[in-house]
Coordinates of all heavy atoms in Angstrom, one line a residue:
T329 N 77.4 -46.2 -58.2 CA 77.2 -46.3 -59.7 C 75.7 -46.7 -60.0 O 75.1 -47.2 -59.1 CB 78.1 -47.3 -60.4 OG1 77.8 -48.6 -59.7 CG2 79.6 -47.0 -60.1
I330 N 75.3 -46.2 -61.1 CA 73.9 -46.5 -61.6 C 74.0 -47.1 -63.0 O 74.9 -46.7 -63.8 CB 73.2 -45.2 -61.6 CG1 72.9 -44.6 -60.2 CG2 71.9 -45.3 -62.4 CD1 71.9 -45.5 -59.4
G331 N 73.2 -48.1 -63.2 CA 73.2 -48.7 -64.6 C 72.3 -47.9 -65.5 O 72.4 -46.7 -65.6
R332 N 71.3 -48.6 -66.1 CA 70.3 -47.9 -66.9 C 69.2 -47.3 -66.1 O 68.8 -47.8 -65.1 CB 69.7 -48.9 -67.8 CG 70.4 -49.2 -69.1 CD 69.7 -50.2 -70.0 NE 68.4 -49.7 -70.3 CZ 67.3 -50.4 -70.7 NH1 67.5 -51.7 -70.8 NH2 66.2 -49.9 -71.0
V333 N 68.8 -46.1 -66.5 CA 67.6 -45.5 -65.9 C 66.5 -45.5 -66.9 O 66.7 -45.0 -68.1 CB 67.9 -44.0 -65.4 CG1 66.6 -43.4 -64.8 CG2 69.0 -44.0 -64.4
R334 N 65.4 -46.1 -66.6 CA 64.2 -46.0 -67.6 C 63.0 -45.7 -66.9 O 62.8 -45.9 -65.7 CB 64.2 -47.3 -68.4 CG 64.1 -48.5 -67.6 CD 64.0 -49.8 -68.4 NE 63.6 -50.9 -67.5 CZ 62.4 -51.0 -67.1 NH1 61.4 -50.4 -67.6 NH2 62.1 -52.1 -66.3
S344 N 61.9 -48.6 -58.7 CA 62.5 -49.9 -58.3 C 64.0 -49.8 -58.7 O 64.4 -49.2 -59.7 CB 61.8 -51.1 -58.9 OG 61.9 -51.1 -60.3
C345 N 64.8 -50.6 -57.9 CA 66.2 -50.6 -58.2 C 66.7 -52.1 -58.2 O 66.4 -52.8 -57.3 CB 67.0 -49.8 -57.1 SG 68.8 -49.8 -57.3
S346 N 67.4 -52.5 -59.3 CA 67.8 -53.9 -59.3 C 69.2 -54.1 -58.7 O 69.9 -53.1 -58.4 CB 68.0 -54.3 -60.8 OG 69.1 -53.8 -61.4
A347 N 69.6 -55.3 -58.4 CA 70.8 -55.5 -57.7 C 72.0 -55.1 -58.6 O 73.1 -54.7 -58.0 CB 71.0 -57.0 -57.4
S348 N 71.8 -55.1 -59.9 CA 72.9 -54.6 -60.8 C 72.9 -53.1 -61.0 O 73.8 -52.6 -61.7 CB 72.8 -55.3 -62.1 OG 71.5 -55.0 -62.7
G349 N 72.0 -52.4 -60.3 CA 72.1 -51.0 -60.4 C 71.2 -50.3 -61.5 O 71.3 -49.1 -61.6
D350 N 70.4 -51.1 -62.1 CA 69.4 -50.5 -63.1 C 68.2 -49.9 -62.2 O 67.7 -50.6 -61.3 CB 68.8 -51.5 -64.0 CG 69.9 -51.9 -65.1 OD1 70.9 -51.2 -65.2 OD2 69.8 -53.0 -65.6
V351 N 67.8 -48.7 -62.6 CA 66.7 -48.1 -61.9 C 65.5 -47.9 -62.8 O 65.7 -47.4 -63.9 CB 67.1 -46.7 -61.2 CG1 66.0 -46.1 -60.5 CG2 68.3 -47.0 -60.3
A352 N 64.3 -48.1 -62.4 CA 63.1 -48.0 -63.2 C 62.1 -47.1 -62.4 O 62.0 -47.2 -61.1 CB 62.4 -49.3 -63.5
E372 N 65.5 -44.8 -54.3 CA 66.1 -45.8 -55.3 C 67.6 -45.8 -55.2 O 68.2 -46.9 -55.2 CB 65.6 -45.6 -56.6 CG 64.0 -45.7 -56.8 CD 63.4 -46.9 -56.1 OE1 64.1 -48.0 -55.9 OE2 62.3 -46.8 -55.6
R376 N 71.2 -48.6 -53.7 CA 72.5 -49.1 -54.2 C 73.4 -49.4 -53.0 O 74.5 -50.0 -53.1 CB 73.1 -48.0 -55.0 CG 72.4 -47.8 -56.4 CD 72.5 -49.1 -57.2 NE 73.8 -49.2 -57.8 CZ 74.4 -50.4 -57.9 NH1 73.8 -51.5 -57.5 NH2 75.6 -50.5 -58.5

Side-chain angles (χ1 to χ4, degrees):
T329 58
I330 290 289
R332 275 183 58 200
V333 176
R334 52 178 195 82
S344 63
C345 180
S346 78
S348 60
D350 291 339
V351 180
E372 299 314 329
R376 292 296 286 143

